[in-house]
Amino acid sequence: MALQITEYAGIFEITGKLNTQNANALKNHFETLIQTENHIIISLNQVSEIDPSSFGIIVNLYKKALEKNKVFYILPEENQNVIDLFKSKNMDYMLQKRSA
């Protein structure tokens, strides 16, 4: 499945596989958002796979957002594979549950 990024109600939903073939598209899209938006909320609920390079890009985007005093977090609540990946890398502090 090709990578898709859609925005609804301020949440950017990523659908598909995050891998080396689309890592630059992911990076470019969110680097632009970091320049223009104050809050970047990404949902990885529909991501079927994250390879190491894409994971590294997500971490670097998070760091860039913080350097620019932007709010940046990830909603993973429906994707246990994403939660497990972030926990295994001790990066689960980037994850946040959606408020009710």
Side-chain angles (χ1 to χ4, degrees):
M1 172 183 273
L3 178 70
Q4 292 182 330
I5 302 171
T6 54
E7 187 266 335
Y8 180 74
I11 299 172
F12 296 90
E13 178 78 50
I14 299 175
T15 305
K17 295 180 180 182
L18 294 176
N19 54 39
T20 54
Q21 283 122 3
N22 56 36
N24 279 334
L26 174 77
K27 179 181 174 210
N28 293 337
H29 184 84
F30 285 101
E31 281 183 344
T32 299
L33 287 173
I34 289 169
Q35 298 300 319
T36 61
E37 302 292 326
N38 289 323
H39 294 81
I40 298 108
I41 304 168
I42 300 173
S43 172
L44 298 179
N45 293 331
Q46 302 301 317
V47 170
S48 57
E49 174 186 307
I50 302 176
D51 75 1
S53 66
S54 297
F55 182 81
I57 285 172
I58 292 170
V59 170
N60 285 331
L61 289 168
Y62 175 84
K63 290 176 181 178
K64 284 181 182 182
L66 289 184
E67 287 171 1
K68 296 188 178 290
N69 295 317
K70 308 291 179 145
V71 174
F72 185 104
Y73 61 87
I74 298 166
L75 303 173
E77 67 264 5
E78 297 173 15
N79 193 330
Q80 191 62 47
N81 291 334
V82 169
I83 294 168
D84 292 344
L85 173 63
F86 278 80
K87 283 183 177 180
S88 74
K89 305 291 186 187
N90 295 320
M91 302 297 275
D92 53 317
Y93 59 86
M94 294 172 57
L95 306 177
Q96 184 161 338
K97 292 184 180 180
R98 194 181 312 239
S99 8

